[in-house]
Amino acid sequence: MKAAVLEAKQVMNCRELTRPAPASDEVLVRVAYCGVCGSDVPRFLDGAVHFFPLVLGHEFSGTVVEVGEDVDAGLLGKRVAGVPLVPCMSCPDCEDGNYSLCRNYSFIGSRRNGAYAEFVAVPAKNVLPVSDGVSDMEAAFFEPASVAQHAVELASPEPPAQVAVCGCGTIGIFLAQILQARGFEVTAFARRESRLNAARAAGVEHMVNTTEPGWDDAARGALPRGGYDYVFDTSGNGAMMVKSFDLAANKGTVCMVGTPKRPMEFTVAEWENLNRKELVVTGAWMSYSAPWPGREWEAVADQFSSGILRVVDEMIDSVYDLEHISGGMKKFAIPNSVTGKLLIKCQ
């Protein structure tokens, strides 16, 4: 089979590899599409991986073409979305159903070969059937959508409430779609016009460009409580993450979904926002709950089927095949050159 193999920092080549054979508890998936996650970028650009060579890719869709001897043959021919976390299922966190917090986990596309390939072998429990009304391309977005859903589950907002979503990448847009469908008034914040255009095309109703002078005072000043009841940061930008505390209303909830790429600093006044406002702050990590893989994944499957979650052209930067994936990955080295999701068409 063909696979895009990361062989060293910024060295990814399309190679012929042996097609994997599924173990007794596994299935073999013929990969249709795989998305490039933000976590894949430092793996490629900085060589931040557990080992070389490695096949990246964990946001994938495809069709089950082979099953292991202990797997229900009814999965054969099923269109599926990939569920990348492989928890140990035996540590205290797993026993509590907090699979995202497993300390003994494996992960498709980082700790074992992933889906930048024509085929990938994964545990049978790591595929989720996809309904007929959902395309293979949409199914490759189940994983980032489930991250958005997990953040909503953790913060548990109750209407009526004013909600801010900081960052209009894929996860930020999905968050806004989910929250708007629940009846919340959502304002999305971003500094790049391409991201704001994508959010607008995807149905986000209120947006703020954070490069405009006085954007934060104007946003807060329009609200009766002088801030947002819930703030979700998906930007991973340190300055915006600090600003999340400023955007929140007294007694507000701030949910940190994005991951910063460099150390963050707070001034005393910035940190006092947390104390003086008596904010509730939570992190959100991955997207899993009991029963495996969790209510997040069930909700995402339903929301794509119903049209609550949708992918529009403006959310996609480009689609590459396996032979040309390296050129796509190198775009991330050029600031602001990637305007949306990169997808890999694997067949």
Side-chain angles (χ1 to χ4, degrees):
M1 70 172 187
K2 293 179 180 178
V5 182
L6 183 64
E7 299 175 320
K9 184 173 73 172
Q10 298 188 30
V11 179
M12 181 179 283
N13 293 304
C14 187
R15 302 292 193 197
E16 286 288 337
L17 300 183
T18 300
R19 172 173 156 169
S24 61
D25 64 342
E26 291 185 335
V27 298
L28 185 69
V29 177
R30 184 177 186 267
V31 182
Y33 289 93
C34 189
V36 177
C37 177
S39 65
D40 290 326
V41 176
R43 292 172 182 140
F44 175 80
L45 291 181
D46 305 324
V49 297
H50 294 281
F51 54 85
F52 293 109
L54 176 65
V55 179
L56 299 175
H58 61 268
E59 300 177 358
F60 66 96
S61 65
T63 302
V64 176
V65 295
E66 190 176 343
V67 299
E69 60 184 16
D70 296 332
V71 177
D72 182 2
L75 279 175
L76 277 170
K78 295 287 188 183
R79 295 170 55 249
V80 295
V83 179
L85 179 68
V86 186
C88 72
M89 293 294 186
S90 60
C91 70
D93 287 309
C94 284
E95 289 177 350
D96 289 341
N98 296 318
Y99 306 115
S100 296
L101 307 182
C102 175
R103 297 189 179 184
N104 307 308
Y105 68 92
S106 184
F107 199 86
I108 297 160
S110 71
R111 297 171 185 247
R112 55 185 283 172
N113 277 345
Y116 292 172
E118 292 183 306
F119 297 90
V120 63
V122 301
K125 65 182 177 64
N126 284 78
V127 294
L128 186 73
V130 174
S131 67
D132 291 340
V134 177
S135 70
D136 288 337
M137 182 179 286
E138 288 173 320
F141 284 85
F142 274 30
E143 196 276 342
S146 72
V147 172
Q149 183 67 40
H150 186 63
V152 174
E153 299 282 347
L154 286 172
S156 300
E158 293 289 342
Q162 294 285 340
V163 180
V165 174
C166 302
C168 289
T170 303
I171 292 172
I173 290 173
F174 285 151
L175 252 170
Q177 289 178 340
I178 292 167
L179 290 163
Q180 285 183 171
R182 292 190 175 194
F184 291 99
E185 183 172 327
V186 179
T187 302
F189 295 82
R191 59 182 177 175
R192 293 168 61 184
E193 197 61 39
S194 61
R195 296 295 176 94
L196 292 166
N197 288 339
R200 186 178 296 108
V204 182
E205 296 174 357
H206 304 287
M207 284 158 291
V208 172
N209 188 324
T210 61
T211 65
E212 295 179 354
W215 65 268
D216 47 350
D217 290 335
R220 289 193 310 270
L223 301 173
R225 297 184 60 222
Y228 293 87
D229 302 295
Y230 295 87
V231 181
F232 294 86
D233 181 86
T234 68
S235 70
N237 176 280
M240 194 66 200
M241 294 171 77
V242 172
K243 181 61 71 174
S244 295
F245 292 175
D246 194 36
L247 291 173
N250 292 344
K251 297 287 187 178
T253 295
V254 177
C255 182
M256 296 294 185
V257 187
T259 303
K261 302 298 188 293
R262 54 183 59 88
M264 293 172 55
E265 292 184 355
F266 292 83
T267 66
V268 172
E270 288 168 343
W271 186 258
E272 279 193 342
N273 268 324
L274 191 157
N275 299 110
R276 289 178 178 271
K277 293 183 177 182
E278 297 189 348
L279 301 179
V280 174
V281 181
T282 182
W285 185 244
M286 294 195 282
S287 57
Y288 304 91
S289 61
W292 173 264
R295 57 190 176 274
E296 297 87 344
W297 289 82
E298 294 177 4
V300 162
D302 290 342
Q303 289 168 146
F304 269 105
S305 294
S306 67
I308 289 172
L309 285 169
R310 56 200 177 278
V311 178
V312 296
D313 290 344
E314 290 83 353
M315 294 171 64
I316 299 173
D317 179 280
S318 47
V319 180
Y320 289 85
D321 56 31
L322 288 169
E323 288 83 356
H324 300 98
I325 185 175
S326 182
M329 297 298 289
K330 287 177 180 177
K331 289 179 66 175
F332 287 102
I334 305 170
N336 300 324
S337 64
V338 178
T339 60
K341 177 66 73 175
L342 263 64
L343 283 171
I344 313 304
K345 189 174 183 180
C346 296
Q347 302 296 325

